[in-house]
Amino acid sequence: QAAREAVRMARAKTWAGLKQFMLVGATMPNAGTKNVHLHVERSWPAAAWVRTGREHHSIGPRLRQFFVRVGEESRAAALRAAVQQGPQGRTLVFANTLATAEAAEAELQG
């Protein structure tokens, strides 16, 4: 582990004058198991951070959103109920993996 970190740091110093990197994201998690912020700081210690405001966080006046926390075993039924019984119109369902997206599609297509 320490040897890998030393190699990573040496590469970062070597690349500093040769290449530019731009990492862009809507979010940059800085805690937990997916701590992207810490990874960037370790991999590119001289990185310059540029942050913008929260302009993209506004919600359109015609958009309605709601969140439902469900367990793994009742996820499919809750999704079907939300789409069938929720507000009429278009529905956007977010999934964090391809498998989850495919399961949601299969559930909604019946």
Side-chain angles (χ1 to χ4, degrees):
Q1 179 81 7
R4 287 179 61 189
E5 186 67 21
V7 169
R8 184 180 300 141
M9 295 300 289
R11 284 184 183 155
K13 289 177 184 174
T14 301
W15 290 342
L18 302 175
K19 295 182 180 182
Q20 284 187 329
F21 297 92
M22 183 178 292
L23 306 173
V24 180
T27 61
M28 189 69 67
N30 62 358
T33 59
K34 297 181 180 179
N35 190 336
V36 177
H37 188 271
L38 184 60
H39 174 72
V40 171
E41 283 186 341
R42 285 182 178 166
S43 299
W44 298 280
W49 291 86
V50 177
R51 292 185 171 90
T52 61
R54 299 180 55 84
E55 294 84 11
H56 64 284
H57 286 273
S58 63
I59 297 175
R62 293 178 38 212
L63 177 67
R64 290 183 288 173
Q65 65 179 2
F66 61 96
F67 299 90
V68 179
R69 184 175 299 273
V70 296
E72 184 73 33
E73 66 283 346
S74 61
R75 185 174 290 172
L79 174 62
R80 182 175 286 285
V83 171
Q84 290 175 344
Q85 299 166 13
Q88 296 298 307
R90 298 165 83 180
T91 302
L92 179 61
V93 177
F94 288 93
N96 62 354
T97 66
L98 177 59
T100 304
E102 289 173 341
E105 178 185 29
E107 178 64 30
L108 293 174
Q109 289 186 350

